Amino acid sequence: MSNITLTRRQNALALFQDYAERALAAGAPPKGLEQSFAATLQISPSMWSQIKASRPVGDKLARQIETLCGKGAGWLDEPRTSAAPTPAEYAVMQLALAALRATNSAGRKALREHLKTIAAQAR
C-alpha cells in the first residue's frame, strides 16, 4: 500500500474523529455517527466502511472529502501526527460513555455541564 493511501485513510479517520467529537459534544447520540459522517461526505455508509478498512481514496474523492469538510485542496494528502487518545484517556472516555448511557436526559445534561466546567478550568 502506498504512503498516499495510508495518509489519506489516516486523515479521513482523523476527520471522522473530529466530526464525532463535535457531534457528541453537541449532544448527538453515538449511534448513527458513521452514517451521518458518510452523508456529510456524500458517500454511502458502505463506501465509508470500505475506506476505513482498506479502500484507497482516489484523487477525485479526496478533493470531495476536503471540500465537504472545509479543508483546502491537498489537505488529505499531507501526513499528520496522530492525535489518538492514550490508554488513560481512552479509559476515561469509556467511563464517561458508560455514565452517559446509564442515565436519563437530565443526567446526561448534568454530566455534559460538569465536563464543560472542568474543560473551561483547564484553559
Side-chain angles (χ1 to χ4, degrees):
M1 203 176 299
S2 72
N3 285 343
I4 192 73
T5 300
L6 291 173
T7 299
R8 285 179 177 172
R9 179 173 301 114
Q10 290 170 343
N11 285 336
L13 291 170
L15 287 172
F16 172 71
Q17 182 176 349
D18 182 57
Y19 176 88
E21 288 172 359
R22 284 184 285 117
L24 291 171
K31 186 174 182 177
L33 286 178
E34 299 265 349
Q35 293 84 354
S36 177
F37 184 65
T40 298
L41 301 181
Q42 298 178 1
I43 61 174
S44 70
S46 174
M47 181 177 275
W48 171 241
S49 181
Q50 291 170 29
I51 290 169
K52 290 188 314 176
S54 64
R55 181 182 179 130
V57 176
D59 292 338
K60 183 178 177 182
L61 181 56
R63 302 302 79 88
Q64 176 180 325
I65 291 170
E66 291 162 348
T67 298
L68 295 170
C69 291
K71 303 295 182 185
W75 186 92
L76 220 55
D77 302 344
E78 299 170 11
R80 289 172 176 52
T81 57
S82 174
T86 65
E89 291 170 329
Y90 187 75
V92 171
M93 290 188 307
Q94 290 295 85
L95 181 61
L97 183 58
L100 187 71
R101 290 178 175 168
T103 190
N104 60 18
S105 177
R108 287 189 294 274
K109 184 176 180 182
L111 178 60
R112 188 171 29 258
E113 292 305 316
H114 183 65
L115 292 172
K116 284 180 183 178
T117 300
I118 291 170
Q121 291 171 350
R123 292 180 191 165

